[in-house]
């Protein structure tokens, strides 16, 4: 049996690896982007000089031949699902017995005049990075459009080379559709303190052509002209499925799949950013363009292809990022707007660049979420408390178990317990300081 996988990102590669672990089927991994799989989240570090491109490749070139995973570089232009054949841009055809669509995402464009000029680009593919690089020498000013995680990454990249950056965010506060108000305001302050020109409640209206097909400036919704030699479009991403929309494959915003990641067509699966669950788990979104969910989907698809029925379960939500110098972690349920059935404990350090938020049930007190800014907690410890619905007071008394590295990082559990006591009128006390040994014992219990 020949299994073709379109896309060599984390979802496609994980599918291939787990197929090989469980079978001797012929596997072909297809991509027009790069010869080998690389860590997409490390693109910014290549530009900033922290890593070489080769350093972002988790596997040596010999890995693929050793594991009998065929690599095919090329762009699939269309798919004949009836004949089970892929048509490549260069005219070549490839038959398959089973197909895995791991097509990833593409940066959003909203029909802005000038959006296709030279010197305009996103930050998703390796080609996007090359585009940034080719326009960086001598660049006097960059404008970035869109207030999400990719936008702040691109801003930091240009800033690392001392290229002035103006950051256009249409919302009243940075990423306030995800972050609660206090955390969002913290990042506003930090972006400005870092020397990035943050413009809130400001939208792109038009990108101006310099007369030679290159970006020369932007016009905002207020009528202001900002001269620039590069415009970064980072207003989110969408599933990369445009070439599939007039086929028999059922699509919504993404490719519609069931819990086994099967599409409506026989022998066709979809995983990662391009997959849209017909029925998402409670509290989760139908499309989640996150590295770890892509990896999990790849593993699940491999099991199902190999005749081991397995339902996709993303588990407890988590994510991490970096806002210039502030690290961010979230575990569980931390909505931007706290609902009535949820209570929240928020503590912020006097330096204004560290904060911990602990959400818990307003009725019975069980833990529901952690939001961490500039402070690290152990993933496994937080996940266990969330899975077991541990009471917030027990969590607070044992908060030292979550410290990522108490030998080298400051600890703030005393301040959090004090804040909770002030809020609740209780007199909780911390249990003795907890280190790695205690944390490991807790996880085994």
């Amino acid at each position: 049996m020949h299994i073709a996988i379109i896309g060599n990102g984390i979802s496609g590669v994980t599918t291939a690896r787990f197929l090989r672990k469980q079978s001797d089927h012929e596997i072909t991994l297809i991509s027009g982007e790069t010869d080998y799989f690389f860590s997409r989240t490390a693109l910014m570090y290549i530009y900033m000089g922290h890593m070489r491109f080769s350093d972002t490749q988790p596997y040596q070139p010999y890995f693929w031949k050793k594991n009998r995973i065929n690599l095919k570089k090329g762009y699939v232009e269309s798919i004949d699902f009836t004949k089970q054949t892929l048509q490549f841009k260069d005219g070549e055809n490839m038959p398959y017995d089973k197909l895995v669509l791991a097509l990833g995402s593409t940066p959003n464009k909203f029909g802005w005049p000038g959006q296709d000029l030279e010197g305009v680009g996103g930050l998703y593919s390796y080609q996007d990075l090359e585009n940034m690089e080719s326009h960086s020498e001598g660049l006097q000013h960059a404008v970035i459009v869109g207030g999400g995680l990719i936008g702040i990454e691109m801003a930091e990249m240009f800033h690392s080379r001392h290229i002035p950056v103006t950051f256009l965010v249409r919302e009243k506060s940075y990423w306030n559709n995800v972050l609660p108000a206090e955390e969002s305001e913290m990042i506003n302050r930090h972006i400005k303190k870092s020397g990035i020109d943050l413009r809130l409640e400001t939208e792109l209206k038009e990108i101006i052509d310099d007369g030679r097909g290159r970006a020369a400036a932007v016009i905002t919704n207020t009528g202001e002209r900002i001269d620039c030699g590069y415009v970064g479009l980072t207003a989110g991403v969408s599933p990369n499925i445009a070439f599939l929309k007039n086929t028999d494959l059922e699509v919504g915003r993404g490719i519609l799949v069931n819990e086994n990641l099967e599409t409506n067509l026989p022998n066709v699966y979809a995983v990662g950013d391009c997959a849209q669950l017909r029925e998402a788990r409670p509290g989760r979104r139908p499309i989640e363009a996150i590295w770890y969910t892509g990896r999990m989907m790849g593993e699940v698809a491999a099991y199902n292809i190999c005749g081991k029925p397995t339902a996709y379960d993303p588990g407890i939500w988590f994510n991490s990022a970096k806002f210039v110098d502030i690290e961010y972690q979230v575990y569980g349920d931390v909505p931007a707007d706290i609902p009535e059935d949820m209570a929240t404990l928020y503590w912020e350090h006097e330096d204004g660049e560290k904060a911990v938020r602990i959400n818990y049930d307003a009725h019975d007190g069980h833990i529901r979420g952690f939001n961490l800014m500039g402070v690290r907690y152990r993933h496994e410890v937080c996940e266990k408390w969330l899975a077991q619905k541990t009471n917030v007071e027990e969590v607070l008394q044992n908060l030292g178990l979550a410290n990522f590295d108490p030998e080298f990082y400051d600890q703030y559990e005393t301040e959090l317990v004090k804040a909770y006591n002030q809020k609740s009128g209780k007199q909780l006390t911390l249990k003795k300081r907890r280190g790695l040994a205690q944390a490991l014992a807790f996880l085994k219990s």
Side-chain angles (χ1 to χ4, degrees):
M1 181 168 68
H2 177 217
I3 303 167
I5 304 168
I6 306 178
N8 73 342
I10 185 61
S11 303
V13 165
T14 303
T15 305
R17 288 179 54 243
F18 277 84
L19 283 170
R20 178 53 69 233
K21 286 182 178 183
Q22 301 171 86
S23 75
D24 288 321
H25 300 314
E26 181 184 0
I27 302 168
T28 302
L29 189 61
I30 303 163
S31 173
E33 182 181 10
T34 55
D35 292 323
Y36 301 110
F37 167 55
F38 69 96
S39 175
R40 198 170 301 281
T41 55
L43 283 174
M44 67 181 295
Y45 300 112
I46 301 171
Y47 183 92
M48 293 168 71
H50 300 170
M51 303 176 77
R52 299 164 300 178
F53 179 61
S54 59
D55 299 327
T56 70
Q57 297 172 18
Y59 307 108
Q60 294 291 333
Y62 67 78
F63 171 88
W64 309 101
K65 185 176 181 179
K66 176 183 176 182
N67 287 278
R68 293 173 290 116
I69 297 172
N70 304 316
L71 301 182
K72 164 71 176 175
K73 191 171 184 184
Y75 288 98
V76 175
E77 194 168 57
S78 62
I79 304 172
D80 187 327
F81 291 108
T82 302
K83 295 182 179 179
Q84 298 195 165
T85 304
L86 308 178
Q87 289 89 41
F88 287 82
K89 194 173 183 179
D90 63 4
E92 182 183 350
N93 292 333
M94 177 185 290
Y96 66 84
D97 295 301
K98 290 187 184 291
L99 175 65
V100 180
L101 300 169
L103 306 173
S105 295
T106 186
N108 288 333
K109 292 184 177 181
F110 295 104
W112 295 295
Q115 66 182 19
D116 296 318
L117 290 170
E118 186 181 344
V120 179
L123 181 58
Y124 182 83
S125 69
Y126 183 69
Q127 285 71 29
D128 290 334
L129 177 67
E130 291 182 312
N131 187 43
M132 279 186 68
E133 188 65 66
S134 69
H135 289 87
S136 292
E137 186 174 352
L139 181 62
Q140 299 298 307
H141 198 99
V143 171
I144 296 167
V145 181
L149 296 179
I150 297 175
I152 192 65
E153 284 188 0
M154 187 180 278
E156 184 178 356
M157 290 162 73
F158 282 127
H159 189 62
S160 73
R161 295 195 185 181
H162 308 289
I163 297 169
V165 178
T166 296
F167 193 12
L168 307 184
V169 175
R170 70 176 182 175
E171 290 80 16
K172 292 183 178 180
S173 186
Y174 174 80
W175 217 31
N176 66 354
N177 61 326
V178 175
L179 294 175
E182 292 86 351
E183 289 92 320
S184 178
E185 178 56 33
M186 175 185 290
I187 302 307
N188 291 340
R189 296 193 305 266
H190 186 67
I191 292 172
K192 293 174 182 178
K193 179 182 175 182
S194 300
I196 296 167
D197 178 22
L198 176 63
R199 306 286 189 91
L200 299 173
E201 296 185 271
T202 306
E203 298 182 48
L204 174 66
K205 182 180 178 182
E206 181 182 359
I207 303 172
I208 302 299
D209 191 331
D210 70 350
R212 296 171 296 171
R214 295 185 56 150
V218 301
I219 305 296
T220 72
N221 59 330
T222 64
E224 180 184 6
R225 176 187 170 112
I226 303 173
D227 292 332
C228 59
Y230 193 89
V231 181
L233 300 182
T234 66
V237 296
S238 297
N240 181 28
I241 61 167
F243 76 107
L244 298 172
K245 288 192 174 180
N246 294 316
T247 68
D248 292 334
L249 190 70
E250 287 186 7
V251 300
R253 188 162 170 262
I255 301 167
L256 295 170
V257 295
N258 62 17
E259 65 177 6
N260 298 113
L261 306 180
E262 299 165 320
T263 69
N264 65 302
L265 300 178
N267 302 318
V268 181
Y269 299 76
V271 295
D273 295 12
C274 70
Q276 177 180 344
L277 291 165
R278 294 179 185 273
E279 294 184 20
R281 297 289 175 115
R284 302 301 292 260
R285 296 180 179 180
I287 300 174
E288 292 180 333
I290 302 293
W291 184 91
Y292 85 91
T293 58
R295 178 184 56 76
M296 293 173 71
M297 280 187 165
E299 185 175 347
V300 168
Y303 286 133
N304 285 300
I305 290 169
C306 291
K308 302 175 182 178
T310 305
Y312 170 66
D313 180 2
I316 293 170
W317 168 257
F318 74 91
N319 199 5
S320 63
K322 185 168 71 72
F323 306 112
V324 189
D325 295 319
I326 296 179
E327 291 188 3
Y328 160 70
Q329 293 174 299
V330 58
Y331 304 111
D333 191 7
V334 186
D337 298 309
I338 306 299
E340 290 185 2
D341 68 342
M342 182 183 287
T344 190
L345 174 67
Y346 180 77
W347 167 84
E348 186 174 304
H349 193 276
E350 59 184 10
D351 68 6
E353 296 190 351
K354 300 181 189 70
V356 176
R357 182 183 297 277
I358 300 177
N359 287 349
Y360 54 98
D361 194 87
H363 304 296
D364 66 14
H366 76 262
I367 204 75
R368 291 177 60 174
F370 298 86
N371 222 41
L372 306 159
M373 312 296 289
V375 177
R376 289 187 181 186
Y377 278 180
R378 295 184 185 278
H379 182 169
E380 299 89 348
V381 172
C382 292
E383 188 171 71
K384 184 170 181 177
W385 280 331
L386 289 164
Q388 295 183 346
K389 296 187 175 182
T390 307
N391 186 274
V392 64
E393 295 187 0
E394 183 177 343
V395 167
L396 286 166
Q397 288 179 299
N398 292 280
L399 205 52
L401 292 171
N403 273 308
F404 181 77
D405 194 341
E407 260 190 86
F408 298 101
Y409 288 83
D410 291 335
Q411 301 174 62
Y412 303 106
E413 53 262 37
T414 299
E415 289 88 339
L416 280 155
V417 170
K418 182 178 179 181
Y420 180 79
N421 286 341
Q422 290 174 342
K423 178 184 177 77
S424 66
K426 301 284 184 71
Q427 294 296 321
L428 292 187
T429 57
L430 274 170
K431 295 186 178 179
K432 67 178 182 178
R433 280 190 178 267
R434 303 302 186 95
L436 176 60
Q438 289 81 10
L440 292 174
F442 167 73
L443 291 171
K444 291 178 180 178
S445 65

